[in-house]
Amino acid sequence: MMRKNKNVVLWAASLLLLLVGCKQQADNEKNALLVIKEQGSFAVGGSVITNPGTFDPITRTPEGQTYHGDHAYIVYQIPDKARKLPLVFWHGIGQFSKTWETTPDGREGFQNIFLRRGFGVYLINQPRRGNAGRSTVEATIKPTPDEQEWFNTFRVGVWPDYFEGVQFPKDEESLNQYFRQMTPNIGPFDTEVITDAISKLFDKIGDGILVTHSHSGGFGWLTAINNNRIKAIASYEPGSGFVSPEGEVPSPLPSSAGALQANSVSMEDFMKLTKIPIIIYYGDNIPDKYSDNKGADGWRVRLEMARLWRDAVNKYGGDVTVIHLPEIGIHGNTHFPFSDLNNIKIADLLSNWLKEKGLDK
Amino acid sequence: MMRKNKNVVLWAASLLLLLVGCKQQADNEKNALLVIKEQGSFAVGGSVITNPGTFDPITRTPEGQTYHGDHAYIVYQIPDKARKLPLVFWHGIGQFSKTWETTPDGREGFQNIFLRRGFGVYLINQPRRGNAGRSTVEATIKPTPDEQEWFNTFRVGVWPDYFEGVQFPKDEESLNQYFRQMTPNIGPFDTEVITDAISKLFDKIGDGILVTHSHSGGFGWLTAINNNRIKAIASYEPGSGFVSPEGEVPSPLPSSAGALQANSVSMEDFMKLTKIPIIIYYGDNIPDKYSDNKGADGWRVRLEMARLWRDAVNKYGGDVTVIHLPEIGIHGNTHFPFSDLNNIKIADLLSNWLKEKGLDK
């Protein structure tokens, strides 16, 4: 009797330990501590306005004073035992580094996810945006209610309705956070100011992998042309700025959101984009034929242009892949796949591509 | 012979191991890994502009559209085994969270230092500043060269000269970084908008210790009056906004930088500031009598007003300490003691005060 009781007790104890162990393991994987070797922030790029004359500390008039502006503001974290190539994340239009941080509903974004996967992470705030707001040109900013247009352009739905099966949280607070992750441009876009700052970033940090989104897609191609420390590009829903060699620029593609132009560069510059692996992702709910839903139709021609561009770059020996997520069985993604509800799956796609291309050593 | 050689070899090996071990120990203390349990960012506070009418997704005109703005943008990190009360860091005029991040010459700032010391850290970007630039009111921003004025007001020196023994790096790149840690206000200051957002921050995160700088000194007193989750305040060089009970407001204090006013609040509100420990720090190179160096003279009256305020709060049973760093033998500090060259020593002062007041459990 005692031996039987003892066996039962041992069995129960073992089972309990096993359950506790499994839970701990699951907890560890889900809530693993982030171990950071180094973290900080800095300004890079930009220029200086210098008034003529000599500064007078008593009168403190403008003569001889300076204004350092048009730099990018960079936040970085390097995990312990980091892989060789860091990921450099570049936001899109109306956004800042928040794009990659915790999501509107509080889940981890690509910043944390890829830190956990052993990558150094650099988050860009581009010149004249957000904390890099010290612009060298004057700006007037008017608060113009336009969030319903963004809701549609970001393909969360057609306001006030969410798309069926959309990978976006439907509670009010998430939408509140989503709208508040926008911040205005402080002055007009200046492609040279912007790409120069990010090129200088790569001069400073060395080789890395650029990850772009939407508007920064176009800036990313140009920066990679200018700086061969960019060893690969992953671009989420690039919005414009596809570049072709002079004489080979595709005709503009019409849509209800306006015609999408492509830009030309020299053949010498274009060939630089054939030297690095590039992957482009587009999400769901992109119309496959003309739609008067301007928010979505613009993406139809962008996906089409991306495919034309892929073919052009690959024709010249490049390595461009275009993934249309629904075509590989991943449904419901918005303009922000990397922060959507299924963003772990989206991260896994990127991890696999990096591994396949030998970029994750 | 062989035994002697063997002893020498063993001795040399031991010495080598000892040296390696010591270096590793020193490296570990200096470069200890940061172990983070949770990190992220969010918006808090603010309001919504709503246009009348119904949004039309085809025409996409302004009717029925919204604009969420005037929130603060918060970045947080919680270390493993965090102390109970986090530190909430609030920048001053013209600054953003960078104030507390790595210094102009790349050393760790209070964000990293206090993470290492086991405190949860929240970095504020106040409404209408930097990444929280989505203001609900129109703004025009003109880039006005004024950095030499700031150099003087921040008591780095009297341009172009650094103060003798100043705790600030003298290389050109550090000055470049220092000027670029400024970013403009997007619209006028609105005390209610600002303090409301930070009060809502404490509603969200619970009890904490507020750390203010310069312009946020005044905002800090008001927010603590509004929200008793603020359990203590450490203020570095508060610049304005000292509050006294109606009828007991000190006369303005004249200086070459203008007269410093004090503000009045109800006695009921004032008494709230007697309930929490408060410490105020001022640095070096503050004139002790009227000086026509506007950059420094404004601090003379601020230090004087801080002492009057301390005495008033303590008269009513409060716990305010004012530390003028040179008077305790710490010399050369600028307006930014927490990022100066001796900022570890400045951090130690804060750590000791937190411990003394039982705020570091």
Side-chain angles (χ1 to χ4, degrees), chain A residues 34 36 39 41 43 47 58 60 65-69 71 73 77 96 98 101-102 112 130-131 133-134 138-141 144-149 153 176-177 180 183, chain B residues 34 36 39 41 43 47 58 60 65-69 71 73 77 96 98 101-102 112 130-131 133-134 138-141 146-149 153 176-177 180 183 294:
Chain A
L34 276 165
I36 304 297
Q39 64 175 30
S41 59
S47 58
I58 305 302
R60 290 158 60 106
Q65 298 215 53
T66 57
Y67 195 87
H68 291 58
H71 46 273
Y73 162 69
Q77 292 185 288
F96 62 97
K98 181 77 184 120
E101 299 168 11
T102 41
N112 286 6
N131 286 341
R134 199 166 169 78
E138 184 170 323
T140 295
I141 295 140
T144 306
D146 61 359
E147 289 163 350
Q148 283 58 33
E149 289 177 58
T153 299
N176 178 53
Q177 290 291 320
R180 294 182 189 279
T183 199
Chain B
L34 276 165
I36 304 297
Q39 64 175 31
S41 58
S47 59
I58 305 302
R60 290 159 62 106
Q65 298 216 54
T66 56
Y67 195 88
H68 291 59
H71 47 272
Y73 161 69
Q77 292 185 286
F96 63 97
K98 180 76 184 123
E101 298 168 12
T102 41
N112 286 6
N131 287 341
R134 198 167 171 78
E138 185 170 321
T140 295
I141 295 141
D146 60 0
E147 288 163 350
Q148 284 58 32
E149 290 177 57
T153 298
N176 178 52
Q177 291 290 321
R180 295 181 190 281
T183 200
K294 290 178 189 171

Coordinates of all heavy atoms in Angstrom, one line a residue, chain A residues 34 36 39 41 43 47 58 60 65-69 71 73 77 96 98 101-102 112 130-131 133-134 138-141 144-149 153 176-177 180 183, chain B residues 34 36 39 41 43 47 58 60 65-69 71 73 77 96 98 101-102 112 130-131 133-134 138-141 146-149 153 176-177 180 183 294:
Chain A
L34 N 15.5 40.6 -22.9 CA 16.4 41.1 -24.0 C 17.7 41.5 -23.4 O 17.8 42.2 -22.4 CB 15.7 42.4 -24.5 CG 14.7 42.3 -25.6 CD1 13.9 43.6 -25.7 CD2 15.3 41.9 -26.9
I36 N 21.1 43.3 -23.9 CA 21.6 44.4 -24.7 C 23.0 44.7 -24.3 O 23.3 45.0 -23.2 CB 20.8 45.7 -24.6 CG1 19.3 45.4 -24.9 CG2 21.3 46.8 -25.5 CD1 19.0 45.0 -26.3
Q39 N 23.4 50.4 -26.2 CA 22.3 51.1 -26.8 C 22.5 52.6 -26.6 O 23.2 53.1 -25.7 CB 21.0 50.7 -26.1 CG 20.8 51.1 -24.7 CD 19.5 50.7 -24.1 OE1 18.8 49.8 -24.6 NE2 19.0 51.5 -23.1
S41 N 21.9 56.7 -29.0 CA 21.3 57.5 -30.0 C 22.3 58.6 -30.5 O 23.1 59.0 -29.7 CB 20.0 58.2 -29.6 OG 20.2 59.0 -28.5
A43 N 22.9 61.9 -33.8 CA 22.5 62.6 -35.0 C 23.5 62.3 -36.1 O 24.7 62.1 -35.8 CB 22.4 64.1 -34.8
S47 N 23.4 69.8 -42.3 CA 24.3 70.9 -42.6 C 24.2 72.0 -41.6 O 23.5 71.9 -40.6 CB 23.8 71.5 -44.0 OG 22.5 71.9 -43.9
I58 N 26.5 89.9 -25.2 CA 25.7 90.8 -24.4 C 24.4 91.2 -25.1 O 23.3 91.0 -24.6 CB 26.5 92.2 -24.1 CG1 27.8 91.8 -23.4 CG2 25.7 93.1 -23.3 CD1 27.8 91.1 -22.1
R60 N 23.4 89.6 -27.9 CA 22.8 88.3 -28.4 C 22.0 88.4 -29.6 O 20.9 87.8 -29.8 CB 22.0 87.6 -27.3 CG 23.0 87.1 -26.1 CD 22.3 86.9 -24.8 NE 21.2 85.9 -24.7 CZ 21.3 84.7 -24.2 NH1 22.5 84.3 -23.7 NH2 20.3 83.9 -24.2
Q65 N 25.8 83.7 -35.5 CA 25.2 82.5 -34.8 C 25.0 81.4 -35.9 O 25.0 81.6 -37.1 CB 23.9 82.9 -34.1 CG 24.1 83.9 -33.0 CD 23.2 83.6 -31.8 OE1 23.1 82.5 -31.3 NE2 22.4 84.7 -31.4
T66 N 24.9 80.2 -35.4 CA 24.7 79.0 -36.3 C 23.4 78.3 -36.0 O 22.8 78.5 -35.0 CB 25.9 78.1 -36.1 OG1 26.0 77.7 -34.7 CG2 27.2 78.7 -36.5
Y67 N 23.1 77.4 -37.0 CA 21.9 76.5 -36.8 C 22.3 75.2 -37.5 O 22.4 75.2 -38.7 CB 20.7 77.2 -37.5 CG 19.4 76.5 -37.2 CD1 18.7 77.0 -36.0 CD2 18.8 75.6 -38.0 CE1 17.4 76.4 -35.7 CE2 17.6 75.0 -37.6 CZ 16.9 75.4 -36.5 OH 15.7 74.9 -36.2
H68 N 22.5 74.2 -36.7 CA 22.8 72.8 -37.2 C 21.5 72.1 -37.5 O 20.7 71.9 -36.5 CB 23.6 72.1 -36.2 CG 25.0 72.5 -36.0 ND1 25.3 73.8 -35.6 CD2 26.2 71.9 -36.1 CE1 26.6 73.9 -35.5 NE2 27.2 72.8 -35.8
G69 N 21.2 71.7 -38.7 CA 19.9 71.1 -39.0 C 20.0 70.1 -40.1 O 21.1 69.8 -40.6
H71 N 19.7 66.9 -40.1 CA 20.3 65.6 -39.8 C 19.2 64.6 -39.6 O 18.0 64.9 -39.4 CB 21.1 65.7 -38.5 CG 20.3 66.4 -37.4 ND1 20.3 67.8 -37.2 CD2 19.5 65.9 -36.4 CE1 19.5 68.1 -36.2 NE2 19.0 67.0 -35.7
Y73 N 18.0 61.4 -36.9 CA 18.2 61.1 -35.5 C 18.0 59.5 -35.5 O 17.0 59.0 -35.9 CB 17.2 61.8 -34.7 CG 16.9 61.2 -33.3 CD1 17.9 61.2 -32.3 CD2 15.7 60.6 -33.0 CE1 17.7 60.6 -31.0 CE2 15.5 60.0 -31.7 CZ 16.5 60.0 -30.8 OH 16.2 59.5 -29.5
Q77 N 20.3 49.7 -30.8 CA 20.5 48.7 -29.7 C 21.2 47.5 -30.3 O 20.9 47.0 -31.4 CB 19.2 48.2 -29.2 CG 18.4 49.2 -28.4 CD 17.2 48.6 -27.7 OE1 16.2 48.3 -28.4 NE2 17.2 48.4 -26.4
F96 N 7.5 57.9 -38.1 CA 8.9 58.0 -37.6 C 9.3 56.6 -37.1 O 8.7 55.6 -37.5 CB 9.0 59.1 -36.5 CG 8.1 58.9 -35.3 CD1 8.7 58.3 -34.1 CD2 6.8 59.3 -35.3 CE1 7.9 58.1 -33.0 CE2 6.0 59.1 -34.1 CZ 6.6 58.5 -33.0
K98 N 8.6 54.9 -34.6 CA 7.5 54.2 -34.0 C 7.0 53.0 -34.9 O 6.5 52.0 -34.4 CB 6.4 55.2 -33.7 CG 5.1 54.5 -33.0 CD 5.4 54.2 -31.6 CE 4.2 53.5 -30.9 NZ 4.5 52.2 -30.4
E101 N 8.4 50.0 -33.7 CA 8.4 49.8 -32.2 C 7.2 48.9 -31.8 O 6.6 48.2 -32.7 CB 8.5 51.1 -31.5 CG 9.8 51.9 -31.9 CD 9.8 53.3 -31.4 OE1 9.0 53.8 -30.7 OE2 10.8 54.0 -31.9
T102 N 6.8 48.9 -30.6 CA 5.6 48.1 -30.2 C 4.4 48.6 -31.0 O 4.3 49.8 -31.3 CB 5.4 48.2 -28.7 OG1 5.6 49.6 -28.2 CG2 6.3 47.3 -27.9
N112 N 12.0 44.8 -31.4 CA 12.2 43.8 -30.4 C 12.4 42.4 -31.0 O 13.2 41.7 -30.6 CB 11.0 43.8 -29.4 CG 11.0 45.0 -28.5 OD1 11.8 45.9 -28.6 ND2 10.1 45.0 -27.5
G130 N 9.8 64.4 -37.1 CA 9.8 64.0 -35.6 C 11.0 64.6 -34.8 O 11.2 65.8 -34.9
N131 N 11.7 63.7 -34.1 CA 12.8 64.2 -33.3 C 13.9 64.8 -34.2 O 14.8 65.5 -33.6 CB 13.3 63.1 -32.4 CG 12.4 62.8 -31.3 OD1 11.5 63.6 -30.9 ND2 12.5 61.6 -30.7
G133 N 13.5 67.1 -36.2 CA 12.7 68.2 -36.8 C 13.4 69.5 -37.0 O 12.8 70.4 -37.4
R134 N 14.7 69.5 -36.7 CA 15.5 70.7 -36.8 C 15.8 71.0 -38.3 O 17.0 70.8 -38.7 CB 16.7 70.6 -35.9 CG 17.3 72.0 -35.6 CD 18.3 71.7 -34.4 NE 19.2 72.9 -34.1 CZ 18.8 73.9 -33.4 NH1 17.6 74.0 -33.0 NH2 19.7 74.9 -33.2
E138 N 12.1 76.9 -43.7 CA 10.9 77.2 -43.0 C 9.8 76.3 -43.3 O 9.7 75.7 -44.4 CB 10.5 78.6 -43.4 CG 9.3 79.2 -42.6 CD 9.1 80.7 -42.8 OE1 10.1 81.4 -42.9 OE2 7.9 81.1 -42.9
A139 N 8.9 76.1 -42.3 CA 7.8 75.2 -42.5 C 6.6 75.7 -41.8 O 6.7 76.3 -40.7 CB 8.1 73.8 -41.9
T140 N 5.4 75.6 -42.5 CA 4.1 75.8 -41.8 C 3.4 74.5 -41.8 O 3.2 73.9 -42.8 CB 3.3 76.9 -42.6 OG1 4.1 78.1 -42.5 CG2 2.0 77.1 -42.0
I141 N 2.9 74.2 -40.6 CA 2.2 72.9 -40.5 C 0.7 73.2 -40.0 O 0.5 73.8 -39.0 CB 2.9 72.0 -39.4 CG1 4.3 71.7 -40.0 CG2 2.1 70.8 -39.1 CD1 5.4 71.7 -39.0
T144 N -4.6 69.0 -40.4 CA -5.6 68.8 -41.4 C -6.2 67.4 -41.1 O -5.6 66.4 -41.4 CB -5.1 68.9 -42.8 OG1 -4.4 70.1 -43.0 CG2 -6.2 68.7 -43.8
P145 N -7.5 67.3 -40.7 CA -8.1 66.0 -40.4 C -8.1 65.2 -41.7 O -8.6 65.6 -42.7 CB -9.5 66.3 -40.0 CG -9.4 67.7 -39.3 CD -8.3 68.4 -40.1
D146 N -7.4 64.0 -41.7 CA -7.2 63.2 -42.9 C -7.0 61.7 -42.5 O -6.6 60.9 -43.3 CB -6.0 63.7 -43.7 CG -4.7 63.6 -42.9 OD1 -4.7 63.2 -41.7 OD2 -3.6 63.9 -43.4
E147 N -7.4 61.4 -41.3 CA -7.1 60.0 -40.8 C -7.9 58.9 -41.5 O -7.5 57.8 -41.6 CB -7.3 59.9 -39.3 CG -6.1 60.7 -38.6 CD -6.4 61.1 -37.2 OE1 -7.5 60.9 -36.7 OE2 -5.4 61.5 -36.5
Q148 N -9.1 59.3 -42.0 CA -9.9 58.3 -42.7 C -9.3 58.0 -44.1 O -9.3 56.8 -44.5 CB -11.4 58.9 -42.9 CG -12.2 58.8 -41.6 CD -11.6 59.5 -40.4 OE1 -10.9 60.6 -40.5 NE2 -11.8 59.0 -39.2
E149 N -8.7 59.0 -44.7 CA -7.9 58.7 -45.9 C -6.8 57.8 -45.6 O -6.5 56.9 -46.4 CB -7.3 60.0 -46.5 CG -8.4 61.0 -47.0 CD -7.7 62.3 -47.5 OE1 -6.8 62.2 -48.4 OE2 -8.1 63.4 -47.0
T153 N -5.9 54.3 -47.2 CA -4.6 54.1 -48.0 C -3.7 53.0 -47.3 O -3.0 52.4 -48.0 CB -3.8 55.5 -48.0 OG1 -4.6 56.4 -48.7 CG2 -2.5 55.3 -48.7
N176 N -6.6 54.6 -32.0 CA -6.1 55.9 -31.4 C -4.6 55.9 -31.4 O -3.9 56.9 -31.9 CB -6.6 55.9 -29.9 CG -6.0 57.2 -29.2 OD1 -6.2 58.3 -29.6 ND2 -5.4 56.9 -28.0
Q177 N -3.9 54.8 -31.0 CA -2.5 54.7 -31.0 C -1.9 54.8 -32.5 O -0.9 55.4 -32.8 CB -2.0 53.4 -30.4 CG -2.2 53.3 -28.9 CD -1.3 54.3 -28.1 OE1 -0.1 54.5 -28.4 NE2 -1.8 54.9 -27.1
R180 N -1.9 58.2 -33.8 CA -0.9 59.0 -33.1 C 0.5 58.6 -33.4 O 1.4 59.2 -32.9 CB -1.2 59.0 -31.6 CG -2.6 59.7 -31.3 CD -2.8 59.7 -29.8 NE -4.2 60.2 -29.5 CZ -4.6 61.4 -29.4 NH1 -3.7 62.4 -29.7 NH2 -5.8 61.7 -29.2
T183 N 3.5 61.8 -37.5 CA 4.0 63.1 -37.0 C 4.4 63.9 -38.3 O 4.8 63.3 -39.3 CB 5.2 63.0 -36.1 OG1 5.4 64.2 -35.3 CG2 6.5 62.6 -36.8
Chain B
L34 N 22.9 45.1 -20.4 CA 21.6 45.6 -19.9 C 20.6 44.5 -20.1 O 20.4 44.0 -21.3 CB 21.2 46.8 -20.8 CG 21.7 48.1 -20.3 CD1 21.5 49.1 -21.5 CD2 21.0 48.6 -19.1
I36 N 16.9 43.6 -20.2 CA 15.6 44.3 -20.2 C 14.4 43.2 -20.2 O 14.4 42.3 -21.0 CB 15.5 45.1 -21.5 CG1 16.7 46.1 -21.6 CG2 14.2 45.8 -21.7 CD1 16.7 47.1 -20.5
Q39 N 10.2 46.4 -23.2 CA 10.5 47.8 -23.7 C 9.5 48.0 -24.9 O 9.1 47.1 -25.6 CB 11.9 47.9 -24.2 CG 12.3 47.0 -25.4 CD 13.7 47.3 -25.9 OE1 14.6 47.7 -25.2 NE2 13.9 47.1 -27.2
S41 N 6.9 51.6 -26.7 CA 6.6 53.0 -26.8 C 5.1 53.1 -27.0 O 4.4 52.2 -27.5 CB 7.3 53.7 -27.9 OG 7.0 53.0 -29.1
A43 N 1.6 56.4 -27.2 CA 1.1 57.8 -27.1 C 0.2 57.9 -25.9 O -0.5 56.9 -25.6 CB 0.4 58.2 -28.4
S47 N -6.0 65.1 -27.8 CA -7.4 65.3 -28.1 C -7.6 65.0 -29.6 O -6.7 64.6 -30.3 CB -7.8 66.7 -27.8 OG -7.0 67.6 -28.6
I58 N -14.6 57.9 -51.9 CA -14.3 58.1 -53.3 C -13.7 59.5 -53.5 O -12.7 59.7 -54.1 CB -15.5 57.9 -54.2 CG1 -16.2 56.5 -53.9 CG2 -15.2 58.1 -55.6 CD1 -15.2 55.4 -54.2
R60 N -12.9 61.6 -50.9 CA -11.9 61.8 -49.9 C -11.7 63.3 -49.5 O -10.6 63.8 -49.3 CB -10.5 61.2 -50.3 CG -10.6 59.7 -50.3 CD -9.5 59.0 -51.2 NE -8.1 59.2 -50.8 CZ -7.3 58.3 -50.2 NH1 -7.8 57.2 -49.8 NH2 -6.1 58.6 -50.0
Q65 N -13.7 63.7 -41.3 CA -12.4 63.1 -41.0 C -11.9 63.6 -39.6 O -12.4 64.6 -39.1 CB -11.4 63.5 -42.1 CG -11.7 62.9 -43.5 CD -10.5 62.5 -44.3 OE1 -9.7 61.7 -43.8 NE2 -10.4 63.0 -45.5
T66 N -10.9 62.9 -39.1 CA -10.4 63.2 -37.7 C -8.9 63.5 -37.8 O -8.2 63.2 -38.7 CB -10.7 62.1 -36.8 OG1 -10.1 60.9 -37.3 CG2 -12.2 61.8 -36.6
Y67 N -8.5 64.1 -36.7 CA -7.1 64.4 -36.4 C -6.8 64.2 -35.0 O -7.2 65.0 -34.1 CB -6.7 65.8 -36.9 CG -5.2 66.1 -37.1 CD1 -4.6 65.9 -38.3 CD2 -4.5 66.6 -36.0 CE1 -3.3 66.1 -38.5 CE2 -3.2 66.9 -36.2 CZ -2.5 66.7 -37.4 OH -1.2 67.0 -37.6
H68 N -6.1 63.1 -34.6 CA -5.7 62.8 -33.2 C -4.4 63.5 -33.0 O -3.4 63.2 -33.7 CB -5.5 61.3 -33.0 CG -6.8 60.5 -33.1 ND1 -7.6 60.5 -34.1 CD2 -7.4 59.7 -32.1 CE1 -8.7 59.7 -33.9 NE2 -8.5 59.2 -32.7
G69 N -4.3 64.5 -32.0 CA -3.1 65.2 -31.8 C -2.9 65.6 -30.3 O -3.7 65.2 -29.5
H71 N -0.8 64.6 -28.1 CA -0.4 63.6 -27.2 C 1.1 63.7 -26.9 O 1.8 64.4 -27.6 CB -0.7 62.2 -27.8 CG -0.2 62.1 -29.2 ND1 -0.9 62.4 -30.3 CD2 1.1 61.7 -29.6 CE1 -0.2 62.3 -31.4 NE2 1.0 61.8 -31.0
Y73 N 4.6 61.4 -26.5 CA 5.1 60.1 -27.0 C 6.1 59.6 -26.0 O 7.1 60.3 -25.6 CB 5.7 60.3 -28.4 CG 6.7 59.2 -28.9 CD1 6.3 57.9 -29.2 CD2 8.1 59.5 -29.0 CE1 7.2 56.9 -29.6 CE2 9.0 58.5 -29.4 CZ 8.5 57.2 -29.7 OH 9.4 56.2 -30.1
Q77 N 11.6 51.4 -20.9 CA 12.3 50.1 -20.7 C 12.3 49.7 -19.3 O 12.5 50.5 -18.4 CB 13.8 50.3 -21.1 CG 14.1 50.5 -22.6 CD 15.6 50.5 -22.9 OE1 16.2 51.5 -22.6 NE2 16.0 49.5 -23.6
F96 N 14.2 67.0 -26.5 CA 13.3 65.9 -26.5 C 13.9 64.8 -25.6 O 14.8 65.1 -24.8 CB 12.9 65.4 -27.9 CG 14.0 65.0 -28.7 CD1 14.3 63.6 -28.9 CD2 14.8 65.8 -29.5 CE1 15.4 63.1 -29.7 CE2 15.9 65.4 -30.2 CZ 16.2 64.0 -30.3
K98 N 16.2 62.8 -26.1 CA 17.6 62.7 -26.3 C 18.4 63.3 -25.0 O 19.5 62.8 -24.7 CB 18.0 63.5 -27.5 CG 19.5 63.5 -27.8 CD 20.0 62.2 -28.4 CE 21.5 62.2 -28.6 NZ 22.1 61.1 -27.9
E101 N 19.5 60.4 -23.1 CA 20.1 59.3 -23.8 C 21.6 59.4 -23.8 O 22.1 60.1 -23.0 CB 19.4 59.2 -25.2 CG 17.9 59.0 -25.1 CD 17.2 59.2 -26.4 OE1 17.8 59.3 -27.5 OE2 15.9 59.2 -26.4
T102 N 22.3 58.8 -24.7 CA 23.7 58.9 -24.7 C 24.1 60.3 -25.0 O 23.4 61.0 -25.7 CB 24.4 57.9 -25.7 OG1 23.6 57.9 -27.0 CG2 24.4 56.5 -25.2
N112 N 20.5 54.9 -19.5 CA 21.2 53.7 -19.3 C 21.7 53.5 -17.9 O 21.6 52.4 -17.3 CB 22.4 53.6 -20.3 CG 22.0 53.4 -21.7 OD1 20.8 53.3 -22.1 ND2 23.0 53.2 -22.6
G130 N 9.1 67.2 -31.2 CA 9.7 66.1 -31.7 C 8.7 65.0 -32.3 O 7.9 65.3 -33.1
N131 N 8.9 63.8 -31.9 CA 8.1 62.7 -32.4 C 6.6 62.9 -31.9 O 5.7 62.2 -32.5 CB 8.6 61.3 -31.9 CG 9.9 60.9 -32.7 OD1 10.1 61.5 -33.8 ND2 10.6 60.0 -32.1
G133 N 4.9 65.4 -32.5 CA 4.8 66.7 -33.2 C 3.4 66.9 -33.8 O 3.2 67.9 -34.5
R134 N 2.5 66.0 -33.6 CA 1.2 66.0 -34.2 C 0.3 67.0 -33.4 O -0.6 66.6 -32.6 CB 0.6 64.6 -34.3 CG -0.6 64.5 -35.3 CD -0.8 63.0 -35.5 NE -2.0 62.7 -36.2 CZ -2.2 62.8 -37.5 NH1 -1.2 63.2 -38.3 NH2 -3.3 62.4 -38.1
E138 N -2.0 75.2 -35.6 CA -1.1 75.5 -36.7 C 0.2 76.0 -36.1 O 0.2 76.7 -35.1 CB -1.8 76.5 -37.6 CG -1.0 76.8 -38.8 CD -1.7 77.7 -39.9 OE1 -2.9 77.4 -40.1 OE2 -1.1 78.5 -40.5
A139 N 1.3 75.8 -36.9 CA 2.6 76.2 -36.4 C 3.4 76.6 -37.6 O 3.4 76.0 -38.7 CB 3.3 75.1 -35.7
T140 N 4.2 77.7 -37.5 CA 5.2 78.1 -38.5 C 6.5 78.1 -37.8 O 6.7 78.7 -36.7 CB 4.9 79.5 -39.1 OG1 3.7 79.4 -39.8 CG2 6.0 79.9 -40.0
I141 N 7.4 77.4 -38.4 CA 8.8 77.2 -37.8 C 9.8 77.8 -38.7 O 9.9 77.4 -39.9 CB 9.0 75.7 -37.5 CG1 8.1 75.2 -36.5 CG2 10.5 75.5 -37.0 CD1 7.6 73.8 -36.8
D146 N 20.7 80.4 -33.5 CA 20.7 80.9 -32.1 C 21.5 80.0 -31.3 O 21.4 80.1 -30.0 CB 19.3 81.0 -31.6 CG 18.6 79.6 -31.7 OD1 19.2 78.6 -32.1 OD2 17.4 79.5 -31.2
E147 N 22.4 79.2 -31.8 CA 23.1 78.2 -31.0 C 24.1 78.8 -30.1 O 24.4 78.3 -29.0 CB 23.8 77.2 -31.9 CG 22.7 76.3 -32.6 CD 23.1 75.5 -33.8 OE1 24.2 75.7 -34.3 OE2 22.3 74.6 -34.2
Q148 N 24.7 80.0 -30.4 CA 25.6 80.6 -29.5 C 24.9 81.1 -28.3 O 25.5 81.1 -27.2 CB 26.4 81.8 -30.3 CG 27.4 81.3 -31.3 CD 26.9 80.3 -32.3 OE1 25.7 80.4 -32.8 NE2 27.7 79.4 -32.8
E149 N 23.7 81.6 -28.4 CA 22.9 82.0 -27.3 C 22.7 80.8 -26.4 O 22.8 80.9 -25.2 CB 21.5 82.5 -27.7 CG 21.6 83.9 -28.4 CD 20.2 84.3 -28.8 OE1 19.3 84.4 -28.0 OE2 20.0 84.6 -30.0
T153 N 23.5 80.2 -22.5 CA 22.4 79.9 -21.6 C 22.6 78.5 -20.9 O 22.2 78.4 -19.8 CB 21.0 80.0 -22.3 OG1 20.9 81.3 -22.9 CG2 19.9 79.7 -21.4
N176 N 28.6 69.5 -32.3 CA 27.7 69.2 -33.4 C 26.6 68.4 -32.9 O 25.4 68.7 -33.1 CB 28.5 68.5 -34.4 CG 27.6 68.1 -35.6 OD1 26.9 68.9 -36.2 ND2 27.7 66.8 -36.0
Q177 N 26.8 67.3 -32.1 CA 25.8 66.5 -31.5 C 24.9 67.3 -30.6 O 23.7 67.1 -30.6 CB 26.4 65.3 -30.8 CG 27.1 64.3 -31.8 CD 26.0 63.5 -32.6 OE1 25.0 63.1 -32.2 NE2 26.4 63.3 -33.9
R180 N 22.4 69.4 -32.3 CA 21.4 68.6 -33.0 C 20.5 67.9 -32.1 O 19.6 67.2 -32.5 CB 22.1 67.7 -34.0 CG 22.9 68.5 -35.1 CD 23.5 67.5 -36.1 NE 24.4 68.2 -37.1 CZ 24.0 68.9 -38.1 NH1 22.7 69.0 -38.4 NH2 24.8 69.5 -38.9
T183 N 15.1 70.3 -31.0 CA 14.1 70.1 -32.1 C 13.0 71.1 -31.8 O 12.8 71.4 -30.6 CB 13.6 68.7 -32.2 OG1 13.0 68.4 -33.5 CG2 12.6 68.3 -31.1
K294 N 23.8 87.6 -20.0 CA 22.4 87.1 -19.9 C 22.3 85.6 -19.8 O 21.4 85.1 -19.1 CB 21.6 87.6 -21.2 CG 21.4 89.0 -21.3 CD 20.6 89.3 -22.6 CE 20.6 90.8 -22.8 NZ 20.0 91.2 -24.1

